[in-house]
Amino acid sequence: MDGSLLALIVSAVLLLLLAVRVPIAYALLSAAIGGLIVLGTYRLGTPNIEFGFKSTISMLQRDPYSFVANFSLMAIPMFLLMGNFAFHSGATKDAYEAARVWLARFSGGLALASIAACGLFAAISGSSLATAAAMGRIAVPEMVRQGYSPRLATGAVAAGGTLGALIPPSILMVIYGIFAEQSIGQLLIGGLVPGILTALSYMAVIVFRVRRNPSLAPPVTETFTMRDRIHTLGKTWQIVLVFITVVGVIYAGAATPTEAAAFGAFSVLVIGFLRRRLSGPGIWAAVEETVGQTAMIFAIAVASKILVSFVAFTGVGADLANWAAETQGSRFFVLMAICACYILLGMFMDPIGIMLLTLPVVVPVVDALGYNLIWFGVVLVKLLEVGMITPPVGLNVFVLKASIGNLAKIEEIFRGIVPFLLMDVITLAIMIALPELILILPNLMFN
C-alpha cells in the first residue's frame, strides 16, 4: 500500500477522533497503531496480517520504554516540580507584590505588574498554563477590586501566561529539542531575549491603551517609598536566585538542563522549608500536582513517538523534505504557510499535542529549506503560545476563566486579548526578520 495514501488516511482518522473529543493521547496512539498494522500487513507485498500485528506489538514493546528512559525528558517533571514548589511556598504572591509596588506610579500599574509577575513566575515554572492559572488567582481579583476593566485585567494575565513557554525553563523547548535532536540548552537560552521582548511589548500596549482610554484603569493613588520597594524586592530573591543559577549553569555548560532542573527543584524546596513557607501538606500538594501533569505530558509524548515511527516508515517526511529542497526560491512562503498552520492548530489543540503531531513532518521540511532549527524551535514555541490565547479554543483563556470564576465572562477575556495578539504578530515578525535576536545567546554558548 502506498505510504503517502496511508499517511493521509491515518491523518483523517486522527482528526476525526480529535473532533469527537477523544483524549489526544488515545487518539494519537489509536491512529498510529492502526497505521502500523496496515503498513506491516502490506510491507512484504503479499498481505500478511499476522506479520502486521507482530511487527506492531514488537514496536510497542520496545519504543515506549526506550523513549521515556531518555535522560533529557526527566527535565520536564523537575521543571514542573520546581514551579509547583514555588507556587505553594508563596513565591507567586511575592513576585506580584514586588511588581505592584515598583510599577504603582504608572497608569495601569497593576496590569503592568501582572505582566512582570508572569515573567518572574515563568522563570521557575516552565508552563504557560501554570503561569496563567497561578497569576489569575492572585492578580485578576485585585485588579477588578480596584476598578480595572475586566477586559484589561484578564487580557493582561492571559497574555502574560504565554511567557511561561518562552522564558527559560520551558517544557515545550525540552520536548522540541528531543524530537528535533537539537541542543536543549541552546533552545532554553534562545527563548530568553524573545521572552523579554514579548513582555515589554505587552507592557507597551497596556500603557498605550490606558493613556488613550483612562476609564480602563483607575487613577494612580498609591504611593510607595524606596524603602517599600526595596523591602518587596527582597522577597523575590528566591525566584531570582534559582533562575540565575539554573540558567547560568546551563549557559556555562556546567550542567545539563536535566541536572539544572533537578537542582532548581531541590533549591526551591529547601528555601521554602527553611523560610517556613513550605510544610508537609504544601510539599505533598506540589508533588501530587507534578505527578498528574507529568503523567499527562508523558502519555501524549509516548503516543506521539509511536506516530513518529509510523510517519518515518511511510516516507512522507523524506518526500516533503525533498519537495522543500526544490522550492528554494519560495522558501519564505513555505515558512509563512507553516506558521499559519501552527496558529490555526493552536486555536483548537493543546500545544504539546500539536508539536508532537507535526514535528516528524515539519522539521525535515524546515531543515531542507535551510533554516536554523534552534531559531525555528523558538519561533515555533512563540507560534504555539499565540494559539494559546486565540479564539475559539485558546487554552490559556479557559484556564484563566476557571481560576477567576464569575469575575469576567469568557467573551470579555477574548476581547481583552486582541491588543496583545496584535503585539504578538509584531513580535513574531521581528523574530523572523531578525533571527540574531534568538541566536545571539545560543551562539555565544559555543564560544
Side-chain angles (χ1 to χ4, degrees), residues 80-99:
L80 288 171
L81 187 61
M82 182 167 61
N84 287 326
F85 278 153
F87 175 76
H88 286 283
S89 66
T92 312
K93 292 181 180 179
D94 291 341
Y96 179 68
E97 180 64 18

Side-chain angles (χ1 to χ4, degrees), residues 18 21 129 342-351 354 384-399 410 414 417:
L18 293 173
R21 300 294 183 180
L129 294 176
Y342 273 113
I343 292 178
L344 183 64
L345 288 171
M347 297 179 185
F348 302 97
M349 291 177 60
D350 173 82
I354 297 171
L384 293 174
E385 291 307 300
V386 171
M388 292 286 281
I389 56 174
T390 306
V393 190
L395 289 180
N396 265 23
V397 174
F398 285 93
V399 167
I410 198 75
F414 275 122
I417 55 100

